[in-house]
């Protein structure tokens, strides 16, 4: 599944709030700025984070989401 699909499933099931604050913020911003590249999305954060830092956060979110939705 794509990152956005997994994040949307987590949102619908009320699971985003179970993430650490920085991962919850990342997930919500990924949904808000769906069409942004990683570089563009990283610049939205205050303070801005690096592209690699954002990539790491998104991989953690994906990994966590996949454990929630193992079928």
């Amino acid at each position: 599944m794509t990152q956005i699909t997994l994040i949307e499933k987590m949102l619908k099931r009320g699971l985003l709030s179970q993430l650490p604050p920085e991962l919850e913020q990342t997930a919500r911003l990924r949904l808000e700025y769906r069409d942004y590249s990683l570089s563009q999305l990283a610049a939205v954060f205050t303070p801005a984070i690096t592209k690699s830092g954002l990539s790491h956060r998104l991989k953690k979110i994906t990994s966590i989401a996949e454990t929630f939705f193992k079928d």
Side-chain angles (χ1 to χ4, degrees):
M1 288 188 203
T2 67
Q3 290 171 351
I4 291 176
T5 302
L6 287 170
I7 294 169
E8 285 174 334
K9 283 180 80 170
M10 290 179 73
L11 179 64
K12 287 178 186 172
R13 296 188 185 176
L15 299 172
L16 286 185
S17 62
Q18 293 183 20
L19 296 173
E22 70 277 358
L23 296 182
E24 180 180 0
Q25 176 192 28
T26 301
R28 292 184 186 280
L29 288 173
R30 176 77 276 176
L31 290 177
E32 187 174 346
Y33 299 98
R34 293 167 185 260
D35 298 329
Y36 277 29
S37 68
L38 285 183
S39 297
Q40 291 171 314
L41 186 59
V44 170
F45 286 80
T46 305
I49 64 173
T50 64
K51 182 179 163 184
S52 64
L54 175 59
S55 177
H56 179 73
R57 287 184 186 185
L58 289 169
K59 286 177 185 174
K60 283 180 85 173
I61 292 167
T62 300
S63 176
I64 292 167
E66 287 173 343
T67 64
F68 282 132
F69 303 118
K70 279 195 271 186
D71 291 329

